[in-house]
Every structure is written in structure tokens, then in C-alpha cells.
Amino acid sequence: ASILAIATIIVTMICVLRLPATVITQFSINGGNVTTMSKPIAIAIPVFICLLGIYFCGSGKDYMKSILISAVGIAVMVVMLIVNS
């Protein structure tokens, strides 16, 4: 759980520093239908997912599912960084 927490903190800090004020959160292949959110909300949603996974991991619930939940939250933040760079 501590590795997940450290990874979440690092990726969150990178997002805070690198993402623009308005973040593209949904996009299509052809470039149309772009959905945006403000930066605090766009970062808070995947962080909440990560924290949920960390909580379940620490509480002894299904360990692999907990890791997967946190990994999804981290992956969402990484994709946001890639799309918005």
C-alpha cells in the first residue's frame, strides 16, 4: 500500500505542475467531441480512485483488486498528462 501511495503522490504532483487550467478528459480519434474539466476536478477524481484502492489494500480486502483499482487511477492521470502535453 505504501508503494501505491508514493506513486499516487508523485503522479499527482506531476499533474498539478504540468496540466493546464482546463484539462481535456475525453477525446475522440478524429479530434472532435472534446470534453474538458477544470484542473482540480480532473485531478481529484483519479486521486480519489487511487485512495480508494489504497484504503482497501490496507484494510485487508481483496489485495489484487485493490492494487488494480489504484493502478487504474494512476493510469488515468498518466493518460491525462499524455493527452494534455
Side-chain angles (χ1 to χ4, degrees):
S2 61
I3 293 174
L4 294 174
I6 292 169
T8 300
I9 291 168
I10 290 171
V11 175
T12 301
M13 294 312 301
I14 292 170
C15 285
V16 168
L17 296 173
R18 302 282 298 163
L19 288 175
T22 303
V23 179
I24 297 172
T25 55
Q26 184 179 8
F27 59 95
S28 65
I29 301 292
N30 63 8
N33 299 330
V34 174
T35 305
T36 60
M37 282 186 189
S38 66
K39 182 171 154 176
I41 295 171
I43 294 173
I45 293 170
V47 167
F48 176 75
I49 293 170
C50 290
L51 293 176
L52 193 65
I54 292 167
Y55 170 75
F56 287 143
C57 189
S59 68
K61 302 208 177 180
D62 197 355
Y63 189 72
M64 290 308 291
K65 285 183 184 177
S66 302
I67 291 174
L68 183 62
I69 290 170
S70 289
V72 166
I74 292 170
V76 167
M77 287 191 280
V78 169
V79 169
M80 279 194 311
L81 283 167
I82 292 168
V83 169
N84 288 280
S85 61

